[in-house]
Amino acid sequence: MKKDFDKDALSDMYKDKFLAPENEIRFVNAPDGSIIEVNPLDDYFCQERPKELKPRKGVVEKFLNWARAESLWVLGFGTGCGSIEIPPLSTPRFDMYRFGVQMRATPRQSNVFIISGYLSVKTLKRAIRSYEQMPSPKYIIALGSCTINGGMYWDSYNTINRLDHYLPVDVYIAGCMPRPEALLAGFGKLKELIKEGKAEKANEYIQNLDWYKANQKKIIKDWNMPDYNW
Amino acid sequence: MKQLVEIIQNHFPINDIDLRKKSLAFISIHQNQAIPLLEWLKTTHGYTAFVLLTAVDWIEENRFQLTYLISNPENFTELGVRVFIDREKAEMVSAHHLWKSIWVYQRELKEMFGINFPDSPRVNESFILEGWDTIPPYRRDFDTKQYSEETYFPRPGRSTNDPAKHMKSKLYPKD
């Protein structure tokens, strides 16, 4: 039994014309006969602002950083043409496992996100969701010149120019395309930064969340998801 | 192909014939006759395979060109049917009842060129450009460079060289 409700009476947030159908308010019949209102944006997502993961003091932080640097789990999300450079890393020739780098299938399992090449607006939306679902501490490696200044797609109507306006970048790897060796060098650089305690971009993202969100919303015009995706 | 085009000429008024090679020809036909022609070719002449549907923006002539490329798998020939439609009133009859796959092309043309295909399935849903709110990007009056500069935070300091001039100045600096 579906109860009709007046959509105009809802707040402006829920009148969003881009709101995805699965996020609309709906009414569900409970086993005891009562009707329950389900509001996915409130019920399924956390509306709280994210919190920083503050560094601990002294030796503890050094030990944690050493442990984090030696175990980098990469999210298997290839955004552009650069994603073709990632599979060779798992072959015996390059063998990323000897550096403690391995691929993982879901954002919840990984802490390194390789933005591999150009990002179209449609992909950026998915990349933001994936990045925000990753547990802290998390790092972003930007692969290829497209992420730096747009590369050969600098005047395209649908690809972003500078990744650092939308997501915080720890390490850039220049080139079009960088070879797998360059990617390994990038992992080496990221390890150095983590061990020195300088890979704190995820916290900077949370500190400047409003600026990042404004930039993201400027180009993602059909923002139909919660502001922060836990 | 010549024979086939002659047969078509007996049944349909064709405007323009372009015989490229033994296995490829292009014909252009009026907007209203195009879908009946495609249906006739499919049912009676073995052009059962639909290859692609694409559009060209002839902004100087104020019209769009649609090309339906269809193929005959038995004698390996391909025929392109060109249709010209008005740019101001960009609308064409949907052909998804002939080939199911054509609705994807029509949805893409709706998004990229703004050519409407009424009654085509899901034609108004966004395809690649989610939430696009200016003129469609493949129309030639859309300035992609200007749009990119206004929207995507260009990094300053970017410069370009004309390859010919650059190499000339490098190889023959005295000239």
Side-chain angles (χ1 to χ4, degrees):
Chain A
M1 188 178 103
K2 201 175 173 186
K3 192 182 159 190
D4 290 334
F5 61 94
D6 187 12
K7 278 201 172 178
D8 296 337
L10 300 174
S11 66
D12 284 348
M13 181 182 165
Y14 303 127
K15 271 197 288 186
D16 187 358
K17 64 174 176 171
F18 290 121
L19 194 68
E22 65 266 24
N23 287 338
E24 278 175 9
I25 295 178
R26 55 182 177 268
F27 293 91
V28 181
N29 231 4
D32 63 351
S34 61
I35 294 165
I36 301 170
E37 184 189 309
V38 178
N39 183 359
L41 284 184
D42 279 344
D43 298 350
Y44 300 159
F45 297 98
C46 181
Q47 299 283 356
E48 245 178 74
R49 282 173 76 93
K51 292 184 187 96
E52 283 179 59
L53 185 76
K54 285 197 174 119
R56 294 169 198 223
K57 282 175 188 168
V59 187
V60 181
E61 178 68 12
K62 272 192 176 175
F63 170 73
L64 286 176
N65 280 339
W66 168 78
R68 287 163 184 162
E70 297 303 326
S71 160
L72 298 173
W73 291 23
V74 180
L75 173 63
F77 182 175
T79 62
C81 37
S83 52
I84 205 71
E85 305 293 334
I86 301 172
L89 288 178
S90 57
T91 60
R93 182 170 172 194
F94 298 107
D95 189 15
M96 63 183 174
Y97 299 101
R98 67 197 152 128
F99 300 112
V101 181
Q102 51 182 314
M103 305 299 290
R104 275 293 172 267
T106 74
R108 304 279 189 211
Q109 294 169 305
S110 45
N111 65 350
V112 179
F113 195 174
I114 301 178
I115 303 287
S116 49
Y118 64 84
L119 266 179
S120 68
V121 177
K122 187 173 177 176
T123 319
L124 176 69
K125 194 171 158 188
R126 278 77 182 164
I128 291 166
R129 284 201 80 155
S130 304
Y131 175 71
E132 291 181 349
Q133 286 175 12
M134 283 159 55
S136 285
K138 52 191 173 185
Y139 317 100
I140 287 190
I141 294 179
L143 184 67
S145 54
C146 286
T147 54
I148 299 168
N149 61 3
M152 63 188 283
Y153 301 106
W154 64 284
D155 60 351
S156 164
Y157 59 91
N158 201 27
T159 55
I160 61 166
N161 277 358
R162 299 181 61 171
L163 178 62
D164 55 358
H165 275 63
Y166 308 102
L167 288 170
V169 181
D170 286 287
V171 176
Y172 282 110
I173 302 170
C176 181
M177 277 316 295
R179 281 187 52 79
E181 293 95 326
L183 196 48
L184 282 182
F187 278 120
K189 183 72 189 168
L190 179 63
K191 281 183 168 192
E192 272 177 34
L193 289 175
I194 295 172
K195 283 178 183 170
E196 289 168 12
K198 288 179 183 166
E200 292 289 327
K201 291 285 181 178
N203 285 340
E204 280 178 29
Y205 180 69
I206 291 166
Q207 286 159 11
N208 304 321
L209 190 68
D210 295 330
W211 182 75
Y212 279 108
K213 284 291 160 195
N215 288 345
Q216 290 166 4
K217 284 182 180 175
K218 185 187 168 194
I219 60 164
I220 303 175
K221 285 162 190 161
D222 62 333
W223 189 277
N224 57 3
M225 51 191 191
D227 266 8
Y228 198 84
N229 297 286
W230 278 99
Chain B
M1 285 317 279
K2 217 172 178 181
Q3 281 180 329
L4 177 77
V5 170
E6 278 168 10
I7 297 170
I8 298 173
Q9 265 177 322
N10 292 334
H11 290 80
F12 289 89
I14 310 176
N15 301 329
D16 195 16
I17 299 158
D18 183 7
L19 293 166
R20 290 288 173 86
K21 50 185 181 181
K22 274 183 183 174
S23 61
L24 179 66
F26 288 92
I27 54 173
S28 63
I29 191 164
H30 189 261
Q31 190 175 351
N32 298 339
Q33 300 281 329
I35 304 302
L37 172 66
L38 290 172
E39 194 166 0
W40 182 73
L41 287 168
K42 186 188 173 188
T43 48
T44 60
H45 285 83
Y47 282 84
T48 51
F50 165 73
V51 181
L52 59 85
L53 165 62
T54 185
V56 183
D57 184 2
W58 298 105
I59 192 168
E60 296 86 357
E61 298 158 24
N62 199 26
R63 60 184 186 172
F64 285 118
Q65 172 196 321
L66 292 175
T67 305
Y68 295 83
L69 196 63
I70 53 177
S71 156
N72 186 339
E74 277 163 20
N75 58 11
F76 305 108
T77 56
E78 287 188 336
L79 183 70
V81 178
R82 287 177 182 153
V83 182
F84 290 95
I85 56 174
D86 189 21
R87 211 166 168 281
E88 306 299 325
K89 194 173 158 285
E91 203 170 282
M92 179 66 195
V93 184
S94 171
H96 69 275
H97 59 286
L98 298 176
W99 293 279
K100 261 190 181 174
S101 58
I102 215 166
W103 71 267
V104 181
Y105 292 87
Q106 291 175 350
R107 190 174 156 198
E108 190 182 16
L109 290 179
K110 171 82 199 273
E111 183 166 277
M112 291 304 193
F113 285 95
I115 301 171
N116 195 14
F117 294 88
D119 302 331
S120 182
R122 299 174 66 188
V123 73
N124 291 321
E125 285 177 38
S126 61
F127 194 52
I128 299 161
L129 314 169
E130 293 177 334
W132 190 261
D133 57 359
T134 62
I135 57 171
Y138 278 12
R139 289 199 176 205
R140 274 172 57 206
D141 45 1
F142 174 78
D143 190 343
T144 174
K145 186 167 172 247
Q146 188 196 349
Y147 180 83
S148 174
E149 279 168 359
E150 284 169 3
T151 315
Y152 297 123
F153 309 107
R155 189 183 282 272
R158 189 180 179 107
S159 64
T160 47
N161 286 320
D162 177 35
K165 273 185 197 164
H166 177 73
M167 288 315 290
K168 199 179 171 190
S169 66
K170 266 208 146 177
L171 295 173
Y172 314 106
K174 284 177 188 170
D175 289 359

